[in-house]
Amino acid sequence: MKIALETRGVVKQFGGLVAVNSVDLVVPENSIFSVIGPNGAGKTTFYNCITGFYTPEKGDVLFFGESILGLSPDQITYRGIARTYQNIRLFSTMSAIENIMVGEHSRLNANWAEAIIRTPRMVKEEKAAVEEARRLLNFVGLTGLGDQAARNLPYGAQRRLEIARALASRPKLLLLDEPTAGMNPNETAEMVDFVHRLRDELGIAILLIEHDMRMVMGVSDRIAVLDYGEKIAEGSPSEIQNNPRVIEAYLGKPMSEYEA
Amino acid sequence: MKTQIKSSLNAGITFGIVSLFLYLIGFTTTASQIIQNLFKLKPASIVLGMDSLVFSFSLFIGLIGVWAGVNQARSQKGQPFGTVLMSATLTGLTHGLIVALVAYITGSLNASGVKMNTYLSQLLPASVKLFLFNQTSVLGALSQLAFLTLTALLGGAVTYGLTVSNVFGKLADAWHSLWKQVNSVPAVARFRASPYFSSVMYGLLLLVMLLVPLRVGQYWNYTLGTVGIYVLLGLGLNIVVGLAGLLNLGYVAFFAIGAYTVALLTSPAPHGLVWNFWLVLPLGILAATLVGVLLVVPVLRMRGDYLAIVTLGFGEIIRILSKSDALTWLTGGPKGVNNVGGPVLFGWVFNDVGYLYLIFLSVLLAIFVTRRLQNSRVGRAWESMREDETVSRAMGINILRHKVLAFAIGAAFAGLGGVLFAARNQFTGPEDHNMMVSINVLSAVIVGGMGSIPGVIAGAFVLKGLPEILRELENYRVLAFATLLVVMMLVRPAGILPASRRKFEHEKGRAVPGEEGAK
């Protein structure tokens, strides 16, 4: 099995604060890898290091064996990494289907001159783009809502639309930042199924940040735990559940240890 | 009850202030004269036992009185008849008391020979007399009080009647059902659905565009031309601000560069290069585009307010350079450039009609380019940048390249506008390119509706055409114009004709199960 993403000793500092401290991760192809940790553990900063919004001070980020360190976010998207956001960030006045078509940007080629002349190639590409957007809309279960403005969609639909937009670039690695934030248990269960489908039907690797433990334990092949920017544990869901350092990071030390 | 009295008094005070304001700036007299002209009443003739001017004034102030009553009655929706009437009357009474008081004071002062127009230039003795219905101070003030109260009562009663009987709702229903019936006539429906429908509509539009310049005369050709150039500028700025979301306050710079390019290359002075207009036209566009690219490169990483300030400064720099002493040898300095050459086609020297055709043609071209770009990968990239630049980058969009592109195309449109403007006026100078041009074009885009092509056209008509129509109001032109703008933004905050989104999932002509013929 190939390795989709590998980080080696990634360090990101903001002034004196070390937000991400020497984190090593290996995400294999066709797997679901979760990163968990208490609030402020550096999970989103770590995401930003991978997607090129931050450049780490130290370490390296490898995508299918090639370093993507120092590339700009749009270049990294071209390589095949897509992401969603913790607080939904759709293009709110554009329609759902247009949002997906923006996501297709990196796969399309028409430039401004072709757009004005409407070359046959551009027309064909545009037609295919609309078709693909319809297909993705259907894939995430939003058929019929395509012409609605993104901001008018219900909350759960917006979450799924964001994933459809990310998928539109045909990524090899998908980064999901808390996809179940604000969802009820039913919706969360649906999301678990959906993430499984993403892995099984599309065969892509998924890196997941999540707070909902039911979701994390149900969906992940492997889990890494961050605390104060450092990786304190990594393993299968059951290993993580019983790891004393993880329990300590979330719940604090048992009273007996303070007394000792 | 208490709240109702309070709201009635508030409304009355508001209307009192409005009426007094109109009185003190002398607008009551101008409005009366306009009404007099409108009904073609002869001055000093008698209408309904009154002098015709007094009659016109009664009509004007009466309308405000009725409006006060209507306004107050509308805020009392669902209340019993008595309450509505009382409320409207109270508003009218307050309105009348304020007006009557000031009318009495100014009337007495006027009668005792104080010249109030020394302090308020428009408060002429004749205006004061008119405001008192040409009566004595006491009688005039009492008439005002009675008249404003009665008109408010009338307005309240009529509004109550209309609300209860729901006349407007029924009228709207009738209109809708009529529209439906017309559309259900097989021939009409078939025509609307046929592929020729849009061609016929475009053909009609084209015909109008061909005929109008021949019919309306030189003055309106000139005005329409100015509007057309503003449409062109608006379409360009619409790409920069409306689509790409880059607030550019120095847009006039590109207009100036287009204008100066054509002026300097075709005028005998100061360079003596009398080049052919058709050769200079593309050069002007090219020059503006190049400057657009050069400007945007250093400011690429700025967003929002910062970009606005830098571009504002840039617009001023170009204007100040164009009139600076140091560059007089190049630009002609503050005097500007005269005798700018115009287009000649097969021996025909363009007159006002020719220019208007040329401007129409340019606008059509700009609309064509804008539409093509908007409905493409580039247009979607621009709009996503406007919505959220960070996420847009994460979608793989090269922000820098698309910003440069938006600026360049916007600048090209402005350059074209500048070329046409200078050639038509046969002159260009620094003051043609002051900041107000940028502000006016931006206002046209915002008033019309950001990102919408019909909106830009409507906006340009409002911003540049309306002031011409309002000429009759003379001194009060700007006041009326500003009021209309404020009202428009209150009534339609998203613009006159806001952008509508193209439908992709349910495209026109694509069968949708259970939703046939969806618009």
Side-chain angles (χ1 to χ4, degrees):
Chain A
M1 188 182 286
K2 274 199 267 184
I3 291 165
L5 181 78
E6 184 177 359
T7 65
R8 290 185 189 153
V10 168
V11 176
K12 179 68 204 172
Q13 287 178 311
F14 295 108
L17 178 83
V18 185
V20 175
N21 194 0
S22 162
V23 172
D24 299 302
L25 281 187
V26 175
V27 182
E29 217 180 16
N30 202 12
S31 71
I32 299 171
F33 195 109
S34 291
V35 178
I36 63 171
N39 284 325
K43 304 180 297 282
T44 300
T45 308
F46 181 60
Y47 261 34
N48 283 333
C49 289
I50 297 172
T51 50
F53 280 98
Y54 297 150
T55 309
E57 269 83 36
K58 278 188 213 144
D60 203 354
V61 182
L62 301 173
F63 185 59
F64 284 96
E66 271 179 66
S67 175
I68 53 169
L69 203 69
L71 293 183
S72 65
D74 46 302
Q75 287 168 324
I76 287 177
T77 305
Y78 270 88
R79 300 280 173 110
I81 299 181
R83 68 171 294 182
T84 67
Y85 294 83
Q86 189 175 345
N87 42 342
I88 301 172
R89 289 175 78 168
L90 289 165
F91 304 121
S92 55
T93 65
M94 300 174 84
S95 72
I97 216 157
E98 283 175 310
N99 267 274
I100 300 177
M101 287 168 80
V102 172
E104 291 183 68
H105 185 92
S106 62
R107 290 194 302 104
L108 309 178
N109 297 307
N111 61 24
W112 62 275
E114 282 178 281
I116 293 174
I117 306 164
R118 272 197 174 269
T119 57
R121 204 191 63 72
M122 182 268 179
V123 173
K124 207 171 128 196
E125 178 185 279
E126 199 68 357
K127 231 180 191 164
V130 177
E131 249 352 285
E132 170 72 3
R134 287 206 190 99
R135 196 186 64 75
L136 278 168
L137 203 65
N138 193 29
F139 181 74
V140 298
L142 295 177
T143 310
L145 295 174
D147 292 326
Q148 301 282 327
R151 61 162 170 228
N152 295 341
L153 294 177
Y155 184 81
Q158 292 195 8
R159 283 258 172 236
R160 277 179 290 167
L161 178 58
E162 222 190 10
I163 294 175
R165 184 179 67 180
L167 290 176
S169 64
R170 299 228 178 106
K172 296 180 214 139
L173 172 69
L174 178 63
L175 276 62
L176 300 175
D177 198 343
E178 292 198 35
T180 65
M183 285 187 170
N184 65 31
N186 263 341
E187 290 170 322
T188 304
E190 273 176 39
M191 188 53 83
V192 170
D193 287 343
F194 182 66
V195 173
H196 275 138
R197 262 179 75 204
L198 289 181
R199 180 193 58 187
D200 300 337
E201 288 180 26
L202 304 176
I204 58 179
I206 291 160
L207 186 61
L208 184 79
I209 291 180
E210 190 50 73
H211 271 305
D212 189 314
M213 283 306 146
R214 206 181 342 225
M215 166 93 182
V216 172
M217 296 306 162
V219 82
S220 313
D221 296 324
R222 224 175 148 69
I223 299 172
V225 188
L226 292 189
D227 192 22
Y228 293 109
E230 284 181 50
K231 188 172 86 175
I232 57 170
E234 189 184 327
S236 68
S238 57
E239 283 165 7
I240 294 297
Q241 266 167 331
N242 301 315
N243 186 316
R245 283 198 68 188
V246 177
I247 296 167
E248 188 189 310
Y250 270 91
L251 304 175
K253 289 178 195 176
M255 280 305 272
S256 55
E257 279 184 37
Y258 285 104
E259 283 158 11
Chain B
M1 201 62 203
K2 209 172 154 191
T3 57
Q4 272 159 1
I5 294 175
K6 211 172 153 188
S7 96
S8 307
L9 290 179
N10 270 335
I13 290 169
T14 310
F15 275 93
I17 291 170
V18 170
S19 299
L20 284 185
F21 175 68
L22 294 177
Y23 168 48
L24 294 178
I25 63 169
F27 187 71
T28 45
T29 309
T30 312
S32 307
Q33 282 159 356
I34 290 171
I35 294 173
Q36 207 179 13
N37 290 336
L38 214 61
F39 290 117
K40 304 210 159 41
L41 302 174
K42 284 199 193 85
S45 64
I46 303 294
V47 182
L48 297 176
M50 281 183 266
D51 177 89
S52 68
L53 192 62
V54 174
F55 170 76
S56 307
F57 170 70
S58 311
L59 216 56
F60 176 68
I61 197 83
L63 275 178
I64 298 182
V66 171
W67 183 18
V70 168
N71 193 53
Q72 188 54 23
R74 274 164 57 106
S75 75
Q76 303 290 324
K77 226 174 211 166
Q79 300 287 341
F81 187 54
T83 315
V84 174
L85 271 197
M86 188 220 66
S87 188
T89 313
L90 197 56
T91 302
L93 203 62
T94 321
H95 183 190
L97 269 176
I98 294 171
V99 169
L101 191 68
V102 177
Y104 175 70
I105 294 171
T106 50
S108 321
L109 284 172
N110 193 44
S112 62
V114 179
K115 292 244 178 306
M116 269 168 297
N117 53 343
T118 351
Y119 314 106
L120 285 163
S121 61
Q122 297 298 319
L123 203 57
L124 304 164
S127 287
V128 178
K129 290 285 282 178
L130 183 64
F131 202 61
L132 294 163
F133 302 99
N134 284 354
Q135 311 280 344
T136 61
S137 311
V138 180
L139 207 56
L142 285 178
S143 316
Q144 280 281 18
L145 179 59
F147 191 54
L148 287 178
T149 311
L150 284 177
T151 47
L153 183 67
L154 176 74
V158 169
T159 308
Y160 181 82
L162 288 178
T163 321
V164 169
S165 60
N166 191 19
V167 171
F168 289 120
K170 281 175 190 159
L171 276 177
D173 286 348
W175 171 250
H176 280 305
S177 69
L178 183 72
W179 184 239
K180 241 185 178 161
Q181 263 176 13
V182 169
N183 275 322
S184 66
V185 173
V188 176
R190 219 177 308 132
F191 176 59
R192 275 178 64 96
S194 83
Y196 303 115
F197 178 67
S198 62
S199 320
V200 169
M201 284 298 167
Y202 280 123
L204 280 177
L205 189 70
L206 218 60
L207 200 67
V208 170
M209 284 177 129
L210 273 175
L211 291 181
V212 160
L214 297 174
R215 305 290 310 171
V216 295
Q218 208 167 1
Y219 171 71
W220 282 106
N221 275 347
Y222 186 82
T223 305
L224 276 176
T226 311
V227 171
I229 287 171
Y230 268 80
V231 171
L232 202 56
L233 295 178
L235 286 168
L237 194 63
N238 179 48
I239 287 183
V240 183
V241 180
L243 294 183
L246 305 165
L247 188 50
N248 180 355
L249 292 182
Y251 192 60
V252 67
F254 311 127
F255 180 64
I257 288 179
Y260 266 100
T261 307
V262 70
L264 295 175
L265 292 180
T266 63
S267 166
H271 297 299
L273 299 164
V274 192
W275 291 8
N276 187 309
F277 174 85
W278 299 112
L279 179 71
V280 177
L281 177 76
L283 286 182
I285 298 172
L286 200 68
T289 313
L290 273 181
V291 173
V293 171
L294 287 182
L295 163 70
V296 75
V297 168
V299 299
L300 271 176
R301 282 166 209 284
M302 294 185 176
R303 294 188 193 188
D305 313 352
Y306 302 98
L307 182 69
I309 295 296
V310 172
T311 50
L312 180 73
F314 180 72
E316 283 296 278
I317 287 172
I318 293 284
R319 183 179 65 88
I320 289 166
L321 278 182
S322 73
K323 70 172 188 184
S324 75
D325 287 340
L327 287 177
T328 303
W329 60 271
L330 177 71
T331 63
K335 286 201 313 290
V337 185
N338 285 305
N339 297 321
V340 177
V344 181
L345 203 61
F346 306 120
W348 179 44
V349 181
F350 275 41
N351 56 4
D352 56 324
V353 178
Y355 276 115
L356 195 51
Y357 282 152
L358 192 59
I359 289 167
F360 279 161
L361 197 68
S362 311
V363 168
L364 287 178
L365 181 75
I367 291 175
F368 174 78
V369 169
T370 307
R371 284 191 55 155
R372 283 277 166 99
L373 285 175
Q374 195 169 3
N375 294 322
S376 77
R377 172 174 177 261
V378 177
R380 289 192 295 271
W382 281 337
E383 288 198 66
S384 72
M385 265 161 56
R386 177 192 69 200
E387 298 290 311
D388 192 329
E389 199 175 307
T390 310
V391 180
S392 188
R393 292 188 78 187
M395 294 295 118
I397 290 163
N398 186 330
I399 297 289
L400 305 188
R401 181 185 298 165
H402 282 90
K403 276 188 184 175
V404 172
L405 189 61
F407 255 77
I409 292 175
F413 287 7
L416 176 59
V419 169
L420 295 174
F421 190 74
R424 188 192 61 162
N425 292 358
Q426 300 181 338
F427 167 80
T428 199
E431 294 319 310
D432 279 351
H433 311 295
N434 61 30
M435 204 181 74
M436 276 318 288
V437 179
S438 299
I439 303 294
N440 271 332
V441 176
L442 185 64
S443 309
V445 173
I446 292 170
V447 167
M450 288 246 251
S452 143
I453 295 171
V456 170
I457 298 170
F461 265 96
V462 167
L463 262 287
K464 278 284 137 184
L466 205 56
E468 297 300 323
I469 296 167
L470 292 175
R471 245 177 219 293
E472 196 145 336
L473 296 174
E474 292 161 22
N475 293 337
Y476 307 100
R477 192 155 73 116
V478 181
L479 175 74
F481 181 55
T483 314
L484 274 173
L485 281 190
V486 170
V487 169
M488 232 177 274
M489 287 326 276
L490 283 175
V491 176
R492 296 192 72 95
I496 304 171
L497 298 167
S500 61
R501 299 237 63 97
R502 188 173 154 203
K503 300 224 185 296
F504 279 103
E505 193 179 12
H506 300 155
E507 270 177 297
K508 239 184 171 173
R510 238 175 90 95
V512 180
E515 207 187 327
E516 260 179 1
K519 6 174 212 182

